[in-house]
Amino acid sequence: MAEKIRMITPLVEIDGDEMTRIIWKMVKDILLSPYIELRTEYYDLGIENRDRTNDKVTEDSAYAIRKYGVGVKCATITANADRVKEYNLKQMWKSPNATIRAILDGTVFRSPIIVDNIKPFVKVWKKPITIARHAYGDIYKSVEYRVPGNGTAELVFTGSDGDVMRTTIHGFEGPGIIMGMHNTDKSIISFARACFNYALDQKQDLWFSTKDTISKTYDHRFKDIFQELYANEYKVKFEAANIEYFYTLIDDIVARIVRSEGGIIWACKNYDGDVLSDMVASAFGSLAMMTSVLVSPDGCYEYEAAHGTVQRHYYKYLKGEVTSTNSMATLFAWTGALRKRGELDGITALIHFADNLEQAAVETIEEGVLTADLAGISEVSKKKVVTTEEFLLEVNERLKKRLG
Ligand code: NAP
Ligand code: MG
C-alpha cells in the first residue's frame, strides 16, 4: 500500500455520545487510519467525561479550536432531566454546542449532501442550498408576558448616563400579550463577517434577507451593517472571486430560492434560520444527510453532523441487534475538517483524499447501497440495504479503487 498521508497541524478531535460515538470509531478505523497518519488533539465530550471534568473538557475543546483553527465534532447528548437520571450526572450540563458557539462566537452553516437518486422535492434544485443562521438574540433571548387588561405598554431604555428613551408600544383596551427582544451591533457584525468569509471560502453567492420594510429600525440595522461591511471590506474580494452579495426582502427571497437551482448561501436571522433550515433539510430529503459547520468571525472552523446521537439506534446496538444508521453526515464532518486542514497547511494529498472519500461515499449511495433511512426515499431500482458497518466497508471498496 502507498505511504500514509502526513499531517502537519493537529486536528481538534471532539468525541461524543451514543450511536454517533460508535460510528466515529468505525469511520476512523475503516476509512481514515489506513490512509492518513492522523494527528489529532483528542477531547472526549462523551457525557460521562463532561460530568467527570465538570464540563471543563467542553471549554478546553473550544479553546483548542481557537488555537489550531480546525475541529471536528461528534454529536453529543444535551443533558435533560432523563439524562441526568440515566447517567447519574452531577448537574444538567449546558449544551456543548452552545458552550462552543459562545467561545468561538460563531455562525452555523448547514448544507445537504446531494446524491443522484434522492430527488429534492423542489425539482429545479440541483446544488446544495446552505442556510447561515444567526445564532444570537431576537425571540431566543426575549422577555414576554401576558397583559392582564387595560393599560399602556411602553418601551423604556435607561442609559448608564441616566438618559431615558421612551415609546408607547400599545394602549391596551383589554387583555393581550407583549414581548421585548434585542440584538447587538457586535453580534450582527460577527454574523455578517462569518457569512462574507464563508461565501468567499466556498466561492458561492451570498443572499441575505430580512423584513426591513416593516421593521424599519430593527431589521434595517441588520441590512445596514451587512451593507457597510460589504462596501468597506468585502466588495473588492467578492468581485475578485466573481461572486455576488445580494440583499432583498424575505418574501422576495423565498420565491427566488424555490425557483433557483441552488448553490447559494442564504443568510438568515435567528428565527428565519431555525425554521428555514428544517424546511430546506426536509425538502432535500433527509436530516441524516445534513452537514453543519460553525465558522467564527476570525476564521476558525468546527465541522459536525446536523443530526443528534441517534439514541434509539444505540439502544438496539447495546442489545446486540443489527443497526443500519446513516454515517454520511459524520463522514462529511471528517472530510470537511481534513480538507480545511489540508488547505491551511498546504497538503494537497489531504485535500485530494477528502474529495475522493466524499465521492466514494456518494457513489456508494448512487449505486444503491443504502442504510435503512434512505431505502424508502431513494429512487434507484436495485437497492441493497446494509448495516452501519457494511456501508462504511462498501465506501472503502470504492475509495480503494479511486486511490488506485
Ligand atoms: P437525532 O439523534 O437526530 O435522531 C432523531 C431521529 O432521526 C432518529 O431516531 C432517527 O430516526 C433519525 N436519524 C437521525 N440521524 C440519523 C442517522 N444518522 N441515520 C439514521 N437515522 C437518523 O435526534 P434526537 O433523537 O432528538 O436526539 C438524540 C440525542 O442527540 C439527544 O440527547 C440530543 O440532545 C442530542 N442532539 C445532539 C445534537 C448535536 O450534538 N449536534 C443535535 C441534536 C440532538 P428513527 O429512530 O426513526 O430511525
Ligand atoms: Mg429548528
Side-chain angles (χ1 to χ4, degrees), residues 18 20 23 73-80 83 97 110 287-288 304-313 324-328 371 373:
E18 299 193 315
T20 40
I23 289 175
K73 180 180 170 290
C74 178
T76 45
I77 289 170
T78 298
N80 59 17
R83 300 302 200 155
N97 286 0
R110 296 213 150 153
L287 178 65
E304 63 169 340
H307 60 75
T309 60
V310 215
Q311 184 180 9
R312 206 178 60 81
H313 295 213
S324 181
T325 313
N326 190 331
S327 51
M328 285 293 276
T371 45
D373 58 307

Side-chain angles (χ1 to χ4, degrees), residues 174-193:
I177 42 181
I178 181 171
M179 172 196 278
M181 64 180 194
H182 78 281
N183 226 300
T184 65
D185 281 12
K186 180 168 179 276
S187 175
I188 301 167
I189 291 167
S190 287
F191 170 49
R193 260 187 212 295

Side-chain angles (χ1 to χ4, degrees), residues 266-317:
W266 180 7
C268 292
K269 287 179 63 203
N270 209 346
Y271 173 82
D272 300 341
D274 183 355
V275 178
L276 292 167
S277 65
D278 285 343
M279 194 275 284
V280 168
S282 315
F284 268 107
S286 167
L287 178 65
M289 299 284 277
M290 276 304 262
T291 64
S292 182
V293 56
L294 176 72
V295 183
S296 78
D298 53 355
C300 295
Y301 293 76
E302 183 218 29
Y303 293 83
E304 63 169 340
H307 60 75
T309 60
V310 215
Q311 184 180 9
R312 206 178 60 81
H313 295 213
Y314 181 59
Y315 292 152
K316 277 178 72 178
Y317 170 87

Side-chain angles (χ1 to χ4, degrees), residues 45 96 131 148 158 179 183 189 192 198 218 246 268 277 289 341 352 367 385:
L45 264 58
I131 300 271
T158 311
M179 172 196 278
N183 226 300
I189 291 167
Y198 194 71
Y218 196 108
F246 169 69
C268 292
S277 65
M289 299 284 277
R341 199 62 276 166
H352 285 162
E367 286 168 20
V385 180

Side-chain angles (χ1 to χ4, degrees), residues 12-18 20-21 24 41-53 55-62 64-65 72-79 89 93-100 302 304 309:
V12 180
E13 175 186 355
I14 305 177
D15 209 346
D17 289 300
E18 299 193 315
T20 40
R21 189 181 179 98
W24 194 259
E41 191 164 295
Y42 180 83
Y43 292 85
D44 182 3
L45 264 58
I47 187 98
E48 288 105 336
N49 196 44
R50 276 184 275 148
D51 198 50
R52 206 174 300 127
T53 62
D55 211 21
K56 187 168 173 300
V57 66
T58 306
E59 289 182 17
D60 289 348
S61 72
I65 296 177
V72 55
K73 180 180 170 290
C74 178
T76 45
I77 289 170
T78 298
L89 302 177
W93 303 110
K94 277 201 306 195
S95 148
N97 286 0
T99 302
I100 294 171
E302 183 218 29
E304 63 169 340
T309 60

Side-chain angles (χ1 to χ4, degrees), residues 34 85 93 101 109 196 202 218 234 244 276 325 358 387:
K85 252 200 355 234
W93 303 110
R101 201 183 300 144
F109 296 84
F196 287 128
Q202 298 291 303
Y218 196 108
Y234 289 98
E244 190 187 26
L276 292 167
T325 313
E358 286 182 0
T387 66

